[in-house]
Amino acid sequence: MDEISRELRVAVADAPPSRIDVDQLIAADRQRRRHRTWVWSGTGVAAAVAVAVVTPVLIAGGPAPRTALPPAIGSPTAGPATAVKLCTGVTPKPTGPQPPLQSYGTVRPRPTEEPAAGVARLTAALRDGLRTRLPAGVRLDPAQKGCTEPQFQYHPSYREYEVGATVRRGKESGFFLLRVAPTPREESTPDCARAMNSEDCRIVRFPDGSTAMLSRLEAERGQWQFWAFVARPDGTSVLAITNNFRSQPVGNQMQTSTTADTPLLTMDQLVEITRAPGLTLYP
C-alpha cells in the first residue's frame, strides 16, 4: 500500500466507503492526476468524481433546494482569527515511500505559506463557519483521533489541505470531506464532463467571480453522494463531498447500509461552507 493510500485512509479513518473504494480512488488519481474516483461498494457503479465539483443535498421532509444559492459566509474582507488550538499533527506521518510531488500547472503561482500556518488559519476559518452554518442537531465528528472539532491536515505530495469527518444527527450519519487546493489550469473553466455525474450537473456563477459545479449521483436505491466544487477567482479551489451511507467490514466482505433518507447537509449548506472567505490559499 503506497503513501497516497495511507494519507487518504488517515483523512477518512472514521469509515471510508470501503477498501475497494479507496483503491479505485487512488488508481484514478494516478491516471487523471487531479481526479479521484469514489466507488460505492456492492453496486458495481463507479462514480468518476473529478476533484473539482459540488453537489446538491436534500433533507427528508425539508424544502427543495433553492434555485438561487446563498451568498458566501461573512464579509469578503473579514475572517476568523488564526489563533486556534490544533489537536493533531499538521502533516500525516509517512509510513512508507513518499509518492512523487505533483507538478501539474496551476492558474497562479503556488502559495508559499508554511503548512503549519496554513492548517491553523484554514482550520479556524472552517470551525468559525461551521458554528453558524450547521443545521440544528447536526455535528461533524472529525476523523482524526483525539480531535473534538474538524481540523485540516496538509498533504505535501499534492500541496493541498484536507479534512475528513462523519456527519451525525442522532443515529443518522454520513461521510464528509473538504479539500482546499491550488486550482489546476485544466479546472479553471468549469466543465460538467468532469463532474461526478455529467448527466446531473449544473454550473453556477457568483457575482464575486467564483464558479461552482454541482452534481449528485444515486448508487443503490436511496444511497446518495453529493459534492460541491468551487473555483475561486484568486486561484483556490474548494471541494466538499458528503453522502448518506456507510460501509463496514463484515467477515471478508464490505457491507453497505443507508444511514439516513438523504445526506444531512443540504446543497445550500455545502456551497456556503466551500465559499467561506477564509478558505483560500491566498489570504
Side-chain angles (χ1 to χ4, degrees):
M1 186 184 302
D2 59 23
E3 184 60 19
I4 300 175
S5 175
R6 294 181 188 279
E7 288 185 358
L8 177 66
R9 293 177 194 283
V10 168
V12 297
D14 188 30
S18 76
R19 176 179 178 182
I20 294 175
D21 298 348
V22 173
D23 292 341
Q24 287 283 355
L25 187 152
I26 294 165
D29 190 82
R30 292 196 187 100
Q31 294 171 4
R32 303 175 66 182
R33 284 194 315 185
R34 302 307 302 154
H35 294 252
R36 294 180 180 175
T37 298
W38 204 268
V39 182
W40 277 281
S41 61
T43 66
V45 178
V49 180
V51 172
V53 177
V54 193
T55 314
V57 178
L58 306 175
I59 288 184
R66 289 174 284 178
T67 301
L69 295 177
I73 302 172
S75 164
T77 58
T82 56
V84 62
K85 184 177 181 180
L86 301 180
C87 54
T88 186
V90 169
T91 305
K93 294 182 179 180
T95 55
Q98 290 288 319
L101 183 66
Q102 299 299 302
S103 58
Y104 62 91
T106 54
V107 298
R108 63 180 292 186
R110 294 178 183 275
T112 57
E113 185 177 25
E114 289 294 322
V119 164
R121 180 179 58 78
L122 292 170
T123 296
L126 174 62
R127 292 177 180 176
D128 183 72
L130 290 177
R131 290 188 185 101
T132 59
R133 296 298 167 173
L134 287 181
V138 173
R139 71 179 192 274
L140 289 183
D141 289 346
Q144 297 97 322
K145 294 182 178 179
C147 294
T148 58
E149 293 185 90
Q151 175 181 312
F152 279 96
Q153 287 190 307
Y154 179 73
H155 297 288
S157 295
Y158 293 91
R159 290 175 283 193
E160 64 188 34
Y161 298 84
E162 193 170 89
V163 57
T166 298
V167 190
R168 297 189 189 279
R169 182 178 62 197
K171 295 183 179 180
E172 299 174 310
S173 64
F175 171 72
F176 176 81
L177 177 72
L178 187 68
R179 190 220 65 182
V180 180
T183 303
R185 290 196 190 101
E186 64 267 26
E187 294 179 359
S188 61
T189 302
D191 183 354
C192 279
R194 294 194 302 268
M196 175 176 59
N197 181 5
S198 61
E199 295 181 357
D200 191 341
C201 169
R202 64 190 178 103
I203 295 172
V204 180
R205 302 179 190 278
F206 296 94
D208 64 0
S210 61
T211 304
M213 271 201 300
L214 317 179
S215 181
R216 64 180 182 177
L217 180 65
E218 184 180 24
E220 291 188 348
R221 184 178 178 83
Q223 293 182 353
W224 285 95
Q225 180 148 298
F226 307 107
W227 37 288
F229 171 80
V230 170
R232 297 175 178 271
D234 68 0
T236 302
S237 64
V238 186
L239 170 72
I241 303 175
T242 193
N243 65 25
N244 66 331
F245 55 89
R246 186 184 186 91
S247 293
Q248 295 178 307
V250 177
N252 295 325
Q253 298 182 339
M254 297 299 298
Q255 180 174 307
T256 302
S257 58
T258 304
T259 59
D261 291 338
T262 60
L264 302 180
L265 294 175
T266 67
M267 169 56 89
D268 285 358
Q269 289 154 358
L270 278 184
V271 173
E272 288 180 344
I273 291 171
T274 57
R275 296 190 65 222
L279 295 182
T280 175
L281 297 180
Y282 303 93

